[in-house]
Amino acid sequence: MQEKQADLHIHTCLSPCGDWDMSPKNIVQKSCEKGLDIIAVCDHNSVENAGAVIKAGREHGICVFPGMEICSKEEVHILAVFNTLEQGLIMQEYVYAHLPGQNKPDYFGYQVIVDENDMVIGENPRLLIGATTLGLKDIVKKTKAIGGLSIAAHVDRKGFGLISQLGFIPPDLALDAVEVSWRISLKNAAKNIPGIGNLPCITSSDAHFPDDIGKASTRFIIDLPDIQEISFALQNINKRKIKV
């Protein structure tokens, strides 16, 4: 069993709100500096830069999970994190089919697609910052059907969080965990945010700038760096666990 430090919520330059310096090489370099073993690339409603970060991560021994920060029709942000890029691409196809609108770069920001060497290879024209027409339950159900983890993002924040948007956690929403931002400790979050004490809690950076990477992270006691082991740790199965 090994202890792995993980930051499961990092944006790249594909997110319109992400800094242009959030390139694959910069993300991996900063993750190494912060002592991270595992990261998840979770751009808004897309995995188009995840493959490049995965390739860049391999050169430095960083495990990179492909993921997305999906905005539901209730305007709640949900992290969908997968083991393989192929799984992420299946989810992306599903999300794109329910994502209306075109981006206005001058207003929302540029959405840059890059390769593992930080070379620009395109720009995404979709309105990635927008809300999908998918309900929360649809997103969670599809994520789990593909084999990913569903994590409610930044539940302590006033915008785009499960509590701020709905006021409660639906009891029939099959979440794997909730994410608490760096702004509040897990202890205080469990005490002050209604309902989350019944779910596994992680903390991550939601980094949009290189210096924010690793600002918050979670330590997992697992055998291998993969999604099933992370799932076991969230459930305290077979000696896998979260170390706070």
Side-chain angles (χ1 to χ4, degrees):
M1 215 69 71
Q2 312 165 51
E3 180 175 321
K4 299 291 186 183
Q5 193 83 5
D7 184 348
L8 298 182
H9 189 172
I10 294 176
H11 292 264
T12 77
C13 51
L14 176 62
S15 290
C17 46
D19 192 79
W20 281 34
D21 283 338
M22 291 297 277
S23 66
K25 283 183 174 293
N26 284 346
I27 289 171
V28 169
Q29 180 182 345
K30 186 61 71 172
S31 298
C32 290
E33 290 174 11
K34 294 296 183 73
L36 297 170
D37 304 295
I38 300 170
I39 62 173
V41 172
C42 291
D43 282 310
H44 291 289
N45 293 317
S46 180
V47 295
E48 291 201 41
N49 273 352
V53 185
I54 290 170
K55 290 179 180 176
R58 283 181 187 144
E59 296 181 11
H60 296 273
I62 297 281
C63 174
V64 181
F65 293 140
M68 311 171 76
E69 185 175 20
I70 303 169
C71 187
S72 74
K73 67 180 181 181
E74 301 91 346
E75 296 198 336
V76 173
H77 286 181
I78 296 287
L79 302 179
V81 184
F82 300 97
N83 222 27
T84 68
L85 183 59
E86 288 73 21
Q87 291 173 314
L89 291 171
I90 293 170
M91 191 67 187
Q92 177 178 271
E93 183 178 359
Y94 177 67
V95 168
Y96 278 180
H98 299 85
L99 182 64
Q102 295 290 304
N103 189 38
K104 297 178 180 177
D106 291 338
Y107 187 79
F108 295 110
Y110 289 89
Q111 301 175 158
V112 182
I113 303 170
V114 291
D115 68 14
E116 65 273 23
N117 296 313
D118 294 356
M119 296 295 292
V120 175
I121 58 175
E123 189 177 346
N124 192 310
R126 301 174 186 275
L127 186 60
L128 296 181
I129 200 68
T132 67
T133 58
L134 296 165
L136 273 171
K137 291 180 182 175
D138 297 322
I139 294 169
V140 172
K141 183 179 179 181
K142 184 67 174 181
T143 301
K144 297 182 89 64
I146 297 171
L149 294 175
S150 281
I151 302 171
H154 42 65
V155 293
D156 55 302
R157 275 180 43 185
K158 292 182 179 178
F160 302 107
L162 192 53
I163 303 300
S164 67
Q165 299 306 111
L166 301 186
F168 68 106
I169 297 175
D172 56 347
L173 190 62
L175 292 169
D176 294 289
V178 296
E179 177 204 61
V180 173
S181 79
W182 53 267
R183 298 171 180 82
I184 185 172
S185 70
L186 290 178
K187 183 178 179 180
N188 284 337
K191 181 180 178 182
N192 297 311
I193 301 175
I196 72 165
N198 299 322
L199 286 164
C201 292
I202 68 164
T203 184
S204 45
S205 69
D206 191 8
H208 290 75
F209 299 88
D211 284 345
D212 289 339
I213 293 171
K215 195 170 187 176
S217 58
T218 301
R219 287 178 290 171
F220 293 99
I221 306 300
I222 51 180
D223 190 29
L224 296 168
D226 67 26
I227 290 297
Q228 185 175 49
E229 287 285 315
I230 296 287
S231 175
F232 286 167
L234 293 171
Q235 300 174 73
N236 279 316
I237 291 177
N238 293 338
K239 298 182 180 179
R240 279 71 170 172
K241 61 183 179 180
I242 302 171
K243 189 174 181 181
V244 179

